[in-house]
Every structure is written in C-alpha cells, then in structure tokens.
Amino acid sequence: DIFKNAYLPYRDPETLRSFLKIIDEFNYDHSERLGDAFEYLLSVLGSQGDAGQFRTPRHIIDFMVAVLDPKKTETILDPACGTAGFLISAYKHILRTNTDDKGNSLLTPDDKGRLAKNFKGYDISPDMVRLSLVNLYLHGFTDPHIYEYDSLTSQDRWNEYADIILANPPFMSPKGGIKPHNRFSVQSKRSEVLFVDYMAEHLTPTGRAGIIVPEGIIFQSQTAYKQLRKMLVEEYLVAVVSLPAGVFNPYSGVKTSILILDKLLAKQSDTIAFFKIENDGFGLGAQRRANTGEELTQVKAELAEHIQALRNRQPLANLQPIIGLIVPKEKISLNGDYNLSGERYRENGCRIHSFPLVALGETGIFRIESGGTPKSDVEEYWGGKVAWATLVDLPASDFISEIRTTKRTITELGLAESSAKIIPENSVIVSTRATIGRIGINRIPIATNQGFKNVVIEDLGRVVPEFVALLLTKLVPTMKAWATGGTFKELSKSKFSELQIPLPSLEIQKEIVAEIEDYQKVINGARAVLDHYRPHIPIHPDWPMVAVGDVVNFVSGLTVSIPEVESEGGTPIIAINNVTEDGTLTLEGLRWITPPTKTLNYLQKGDLLFNWRNGSKHLVGKTALFELDGQYLFASFLLGIRAYPDRVYSRYLWHTLNIYRREGRYMQFMRQNVNGLFNREELKMVKIPLPPLATQQTIIAEIEAEQTLVNANRELITRFEKKIQTTLTRIWGED
C-alpha cells in the first residue's frame, strides 16, 4: 500500500527494465545493510523540497541524537520527518546503548516490541511519508507510525506529546504565510516560528528536543521571533549550537543553528550555554570533502558536561568550556530582544576571526559614484520628482541616517544637465566634503550633490549595505586624515576607493548588523526619554503667586576679563559655559584667576546661578545650583540668587526657573536681539507659585526621583555606544 498511486519518473521502458533487473540481483537477507543502502540512496538524492527542506547530514543528525540521548522507554517524534533520518538514528542509538561488551542486545522481546511503538513521524508530503515508511521497514519496523499530517494547520494530533522531539523543519513559508490554527502560543505566519513553537509545546514535562533552525530564529527583531525566543529562554532552552554556513551544501549555503530544549532543566536553570562550531569535519564547499579538526566531538563533550551539571544542580562556575560560553538568562533578556547569537555575549572577545579586507573600489562588489548640482539659476532644473540629497538630509544627530525623502528635489532635466547620477536604493551615502563622515543609507533612489561619495552595492549576495555603513563609521578619522584642500577639505574618489573594510560571510554580516541594531534601538529609546522628558510642577489654585524678588536676594558676579587675570594657583571662577542647558553645574573648562583687591561675592552652598545674558537667546535663564565646597567666584553674565530659606527652598526655585526657561517665558521679555538680556530687574518681577515648604519638599523629591531615572538613560547611552564600538572593533580584529 505504500506506493499506491505513486508516480514513477521513468518514461523509457528500457530504462525501467534495466533498473528492475539490477534491483532484482540485490541480496535482501541483511535488513540493516539494506536500510543503510537505502539511506545512502536518499543522501545522493537529497535536494531541496518545495517547502525549503533539505536532507540533514548524517553526522549532524547523530550529533543531535547523542546530545539528547534517548532512552528505550521514551517516545520519540519528528513532526517534519522527511525520510525519517532522525528516527532511524535515534533507534540505532537506543540499540547501541543497550548492548553489552560482547555485542549482545540487552533489550528483551517486550522491550523491542514497545520500542517500535515509541517512534512516530509526521510529514505533509505523501512522497516523504512513503520514503519514511520504506526506510523504517528496511530498518526492522514492521508497523512504522508515519502519518501524512500538517503539523501547523491541523489540530487532529495536537494533544499528542513526546519525550524526545528531533527535527529539521522546513524553513520556507508559502506566499502569504502559513494559516495556522489558534492554539499556538506565538502568533505568526512563518513556518520556522510555528514549528519551533509546536515542538516546544509538545514536549512532556521531562521532554527534550533538538531542532535545526535558520538564523532568523536566532536574531530577527520582528515581534513573533522575539516572543518565541522569550518563551524558549524562560521555559525550554538550555543550549544553542551554531553550525557553520555550508553544512547543507551543495543544496543550500543557509546558516543554521541547533536549539537544545529540556523542559525540566530549563525551568530550574538561570543560564544558557552557547557553542559555535566552525569545523564540522567537512569542507564547506560544494563537495563537502572530509577534513581534520572537527569540533563536534568537543562540543558534544562540553554540552554533556553542562547538562549533567544542571541535572546535579552543581555550580556552573566550575565548568571551563573551550568552545562553549555559559550566559545568564538575565543578560540575554536585558533589552527585551532575547538574541540567541552567543558570540555577542563574549566579554573578552575570544574566538574572533580575521576577515579578508576588501577595498571599496573592488569592482564587482562595489561601485563608487559621485554627485553633482544643477545650475541654481535655471528654474527648470529644480522642484521635480528626483530626490536630491544634501548634508541636511544626514543630520549630525544620526548614527546612520535612513534617507526616505529629501528636503530638495530636482527634475529629470536637471539630472541630465549636471554630473549628478541616480544612486539605487540601499546604497551607502557618505559625506566627503567640508563636513566629512556623515553616513546614511538611501531607502529610495536618489541623486546627491558633489559633497558625497556613494557606495553602490553591486553584489547583494555578498554584502549587506547596513554592514558597510557600520564599518565606515570606524573609518571616519581615516577619511578626515586623507582629505585635502584649502577652504574646504575633500576626500577624492580615488582615495575613497582605497578604503578597505573586513568582509565576513553574508550570514555573519547579518548577525553583526542585527546585534548593533539592537544596541541602537536601546540608544534611540534612551535618547527619546532625554529629549521628551520635561519636569512639571502641578500648580494648585490655592497657592499664592509671588514675585521672585520677594523671596530672594540677588548677588552680582565679578566683572573681569578672565584671560587677563588667569592664574593656575588662583580662585576658580564659574562662567556661563559651566552651566549646561539643563541646569547642571559642570567643572569642565573651569578657569582660575587672581581676583582684584576689592569686595568679592563668593558663592555659598544653595546659591543659584542664573544666566541673564547670552548670545543664544534660548539659553538665557539656564540656572545652576551651587553645592560645592570651597571658595568660588562667578562671572558677571551670571546672576547669583540667594533664597530666603523660610520662604522657598533653593532646589524648588532651581527647578521652577529652569522649567520657565524651557517654556520660553524669558524669551517674551528680552530687551535685545543680538544678545538676550534678562537681568535682575526683569527677574524680580517674574511670578512663581509658592506652595508651603513641606509641599515644596514633596515636589523636589518627585522631580528629582524622575530625573534620577531619566539620567540613568545617559549612562545607558554611554554603555551601549561602547558596545557598538566594541563590536565594530572586534570585526576589525583589534584588541
């Protein structure tokens, strides 16, 4: 019944007759050898299926089975079984581990009977089901349990669980995605996400799984992928084994990893082990020839030691893996992405590669294009449909700009009559004139002015544009050093083409880009907090509004030309540059003077320093709180404010005056356009809400608690910017 309605691809009767004649000469008295011969036949026919499935190499299957170590009493499932390679390997493993020193089986007849019933496989393809059935028959299964079943859309077998699940599920999703039922924990239309979810959820309470997954599962940032990784880290995952790209050659060069799940151990462990295999014992070319130096054996030993330590609840600090890396789950969950790229968690930069250097002028990989500007006095050249980028489209605040629109546009005629060229989307745009080193990626076709060198990616099969942009940020000092010119420094096209970048495999590029993009998301989020936070004082209608002059004394600063009296051993003097825009007092750039012999107004703790005059009008009113020990003077463009302690707390007034500046209240009453002026006479009349002192104290505490949280974002930005630089440095192979 297995081959009922099967199609034989033989149109020539003579070919079929010759094939059957050879088959008829086979000796069928040794089922084990016959089964092995059938598996070999499958291996040489193991090309890609319609759903993106590939025959898993035998040594990878055996590695995964050895790691999970299935027992004779455990149920074993492959929900995307293909030709049943995992099931056969697991069966052989159980037979081998139940054999005595003389080669005799330790399994009783009852054991063998139950053993065959413990294996189960599903596949959506009737052809794969037939091949699995034959394979199992030839390996001694008289009644193999292989079913034509769609694990992702059917619910008929949803309530069936297994102790061991082994699979290399299809990676490809049909156009429009999978349409699964609603019992999955993670809502997705991607087959790889749903398969991993399915296998995790169908483990018994002590169940274990080994799953081959594409790199998207490891680091993709879409919501479904992150939700899946979160679920795995918290409930199922104990180890990740990264395989080299090329394991599936010649059928595919896709980069994959193995997820090792253990439902019991994962819940009692607060770590996950990561292993990166660079040599699986075979070359990574199309022929996959055997070589020396394989690392599967070492990883298997280290992983077994790790799992045993978890089972025995032994401290993992005693483990010293050579290839492996043990990472706390807390670290993996830090930014909410649950990235499973183990190398990103290495603190000491071990196992870093030296990647080949490629010049930007390397033809076939890159093409360098310059820009141009149409004549400004020809109206017909401007305001058309061609996006035309200038420096304003790459703000200095951006790490790497994404250009989706431009401030100015030109016409097709303007393009034709100038040296500007259309730069295809997803090229890398670099400013190389005057302001050197702003970098962007155009998400639409654009032209640029002559202040740019544009890196067009010619071979997208080898290069990720975002990776190039990231590496060029490290070369900005080199660009500036190579630039020449008088009025404006400029980096020539020929020199720009000489710049070299390391170029790892496409998979590694994607992994690095994903890692740095994750860091940048944290930075962007922290910056958004800093940009949008505004302290606020909710004003109660019962509070009196009083003039500032009624609750403070004013103290004048020292009128002096600081350079003329500057002295290293003198008295420190605070100037307007020592008061930041947000009202912080900084000693960066502080200067010391020998003061004149006259009465001096030294600062007292609790004094405020109000910047009453500034060339940048929006900065007038920035106010610092002085709380330092020692004698300090202050310059005349700062106005000292000494609060009456029985009326107003200095800190309350400090917050209030800075809030007023941010709200633009001082701008309304300034008396000069060139230098903003808002001196003591104006400030005296400014009215502020004056709640009771106890309420002021509560307001101070609330604002400063908020500011502590906000300021933590500055530290976060610093830390994650350092992570980006560390990653980029690592790519270059630097210490």
Side-chain angles (χ1 to χ4, degrees), residues 238-239 269-275 298-327:
V238 293
S269 172
D270 58 3
T271 62
I272 292 174
F274 291 89
F275 302 87
Q298 178 68 29
V299 169
K300 184 164 59 178
E302 291 185 14
L303 186 47
E305 186 179 25
H306 175 75
I307 290 173
Q308 192 61 43
L310 292 179
R311 286 206 178 102
N312 296 338
R313 299 180 183 270
Q314 295 171 337
L316 299 180
N318 297 332
L319 300 180
Q320 295 183 330
I322 297 172
I323 296 177
L325 175 69
I326 299 172
V327 181

Side-chain angles (χ1 to χ4, degrees), residues 190 192-193 216-217 220 222-229:
R190 300 293 304 176
E192 65 267 32
V193 173
I217 294 292
Q220 283 284 3
Q222 288 96 325
T223 300
Y225 290 93
K226 289 196 287 188
Q227 288 177 345
L228 177 67
R229 291 195 295 268

Side-chain angles (χ1 to χ4, degrees), residues 33-47:
R33 289 178 187 168
L34 191 60
D36 289 344
F38 185 72
E39 283 197 272
Y40 172 75
L41 181 62
L42 292 176
S43 74
V44 298
L45 297 174
S47 59

Side-chain angles (χ1 to χ4, degrees), residues 218-361:
I218 301 300
F219 60 77
Q220 283 284 3
S221 60
Q222 288 96 325
T223 300
Y225 290 93
K226 289 196 287 188
Q227 288 177 345
L228 177 67
R229 291 195 295 268
K230 182 177 187 292
M231 181 183 81
L232 292 174
V233 168
E234 292 178 351
E235 300 182 44
Y236 299 98
L237 191 64
V238 293
V240 180
V241 180
S242 174
L243 297 174
V247 163
F248 287 97
N249 278 339
Y251 314 114
S252 171
V254 65
K255 174 76 176 69
T256 56
S257 293
I258 302 169
L259 304 182
I260 305 298
L261 313 187
D262 190 310
K263 195 170 180 180
L264 179 64
L265 293 183
K267 290 180 179 178
Q268 69 186 42
S269 172
D270 58 3
T271 62
I272 292 174
F274 291 89
F275 302 87
K276 185 169 186 176
I277 293 174
E278 296 171 345
N279 183 349
D280 69 330
F282 295 86
L284 299 178
Q287 301 303 316
R288 295 284 280 148
R289 293 187 175 90
N291 60 19
T292 58
E294 63 86 13
E295 296 172 319
L296 287 171
T297 303
Q298 178 68 29
V299 169
K300 184 164 59 178
E302 291 185 14
L303 186 47
E305 186 179 25
H306 175 75
I307 290 173
Q308 192 61 43
L310 292 179
R311 286 206 178 102
N312 296 338
R313 299 180 183 270
Q314 295 171 337
L316 299 180
N318 297 332
L319 300 180
Q320 295 183 330
I322 297 172
I323 296 177
L325 175 69
I326 299 172
V327 181
K329 290 182 180 180
E330 182 181 12
K331 189 172 185 179
I332 297 170
S333 64
L334 189 62
N335 66 359
D337 272 358
Y338 293 85
N339 191 295
L340 298 180
S341 302
E343 292 301 298
R344 73 179 300 174
Y345 301 112
R346 287 191 186 274
E347 300 290 346
N348 57 5
C350 294
R351 290 176 66 84
I352 298 308
H353 304 262
S354 294
F355 301 118
L357 292 175
V358 177
L360 295 182

Side-chain angles (χ1 to χ4, degrees), residues 23-315:
I23 290 293
D24 192 48
E25 295 172 358
F26 281 8
N27 186 342
Y28 297 97
D29 61 357
H30 197 300
S31 63
E32 178 69 15
R33 289 178 187 168
L34 191 60
D36 289 344
F38 185 72
E39 283 197 272
Y40 172 75
L41 181 62
L42 292 176
S43 74
V44 298
L45 297 174
S47 59
Q48 180 180 8
D50 294 336
Q53 66 268 43
F54 303 92
R55 178 189 173 273
T56 311
R58 170 59 51 196
H59 65 295
I60 300 297
I61 291 176
D62 292 343
F63 168 80
M64 293 169 63
V65 169
V67 168
L68 294 189
D69 189 23
K71 309 300 183 186
K72 66 180 182 180
T73 58
E74 292 182 314
T75 54
I76 300 166
L77 168 68
D78 183 344
C81 64
T83 60
F86 280 108
L87 299 179
I88 297 295
S89 178
Y91 177 67
K92 290 180 177 180
H93 176 87
I94 293 172
L95 294 180
R96 189 167 52 251
T97 54
N98 286 275
T99 301
D100 63 19
D101 294 339
K102 296 180 180 180
N104 299 315
S105 175
L106 300 175
L107 297 173
T108 66
D110 287 344
D111 288 337
K112 292 178 180 178
R114 284 192 296 269
L115 183 61
K117 295 178 182 178
N118 285 343
F119 288 81
K120 188 185 301 181
Y122 311 146
D123 204 284
I124 193 173
S125 166
D127 290 337
M128 290 295 107
V129 170
R130 291 188 183 103
L131 292 174
S132 290
L133 287 170
V134 171
N135 203 2
L136 289 167
Y137 269 126
L138 294 177
H139 281 90
F141 285 74
T142 57
D143 183 24
H145 300 295
I146 303 295
Y147 305 97
E148 184 180 335
Y149 177 69
D150 186 346
S151 302
L152 304 185
T153 62
S154 175
Q155 300 187 55
D156 295 347
R157 297 183 178 275
W158 183 264
N159 294 324
E160 298 178 12
Y161 298 86
D163 299 309
I164 300 288
I165 298 180
L166 289 150
N168 176 14
F171 298 164
M172 292 173 61
S173 301
K175 187 175 182 180
I178 303 290
K179 296 180 180 178
H181 50 74
N182 59 4
R183 300 181 72 174
F184 288 92
S185 293
V186 178
Q187 300 304 306
S188 176
K189 294 184 178 181
R190 300 293 304 176
S191 63
E192 65 267 32
V193 173
L194 294 170
F195 264 115
V196 176
D197 183 338
Y198 180 92
M199 287 179 262
E201 293 197 65
H202 284 79
L203 290 173
T204 60
T206 58
R208 310 183 299 286
I211 312 165
I212 295 177
V213 297
E215 287 298 86
I217 294 292
I218 301 300
F219 60 77
Q220 283 284 3
S221 60
Q222 288 96 325
T223 300
Y225 290 93
K226 289 196 287 188
Q227 288 177 345
L228 177 67
R229 291 195 295 268
K230 182 177 187 292
M231 181 183 81
L232 292 174
V233 168
E234 292 178 351
E235 300 182 44
Y236 299 98
L237 191 64
V238 293
V240 180
V241 180
S242 174
L243 297 174
V247 163
F248 287 97
N249 278 339
Y251 314 114
S252 171
V254 65
K255 174 76 176 69
T256 56
S257 293
I258 302 169
L259 304 182
I260 305 298
L261 313 187
D262 190 310
K263 195 170 180 180
L264 179 64
L265 293 183
K267 290 180 179 178
Q268 69 186 42
S269 172
D270 58 3
T271 62
I272 292 174
F274 291 89
F275 302 87
K276 185 169 186 176
I277 293 174
E278 296 171 345
N279 183 349
D280 69 330
F282 295 86
L284 299 178
Q287 301 303 316
R288 295 284 280 148
R289 293 187 175 90
N291 60 19
T292 58
E294 63 86 13
E295 296 172 319
L296 287 171
T297 303
Q298 178 68 29
V299 169
K300 184 164 59 178
E302 291 185 14
L303 186 47
E305 186 179 25
H306 175 75
I307 290 173
Q308 192 61 43
L310 292 179
R311 286 206 178 102
N312 296 338
R313 299 180 183 270
Q314 295 171 337

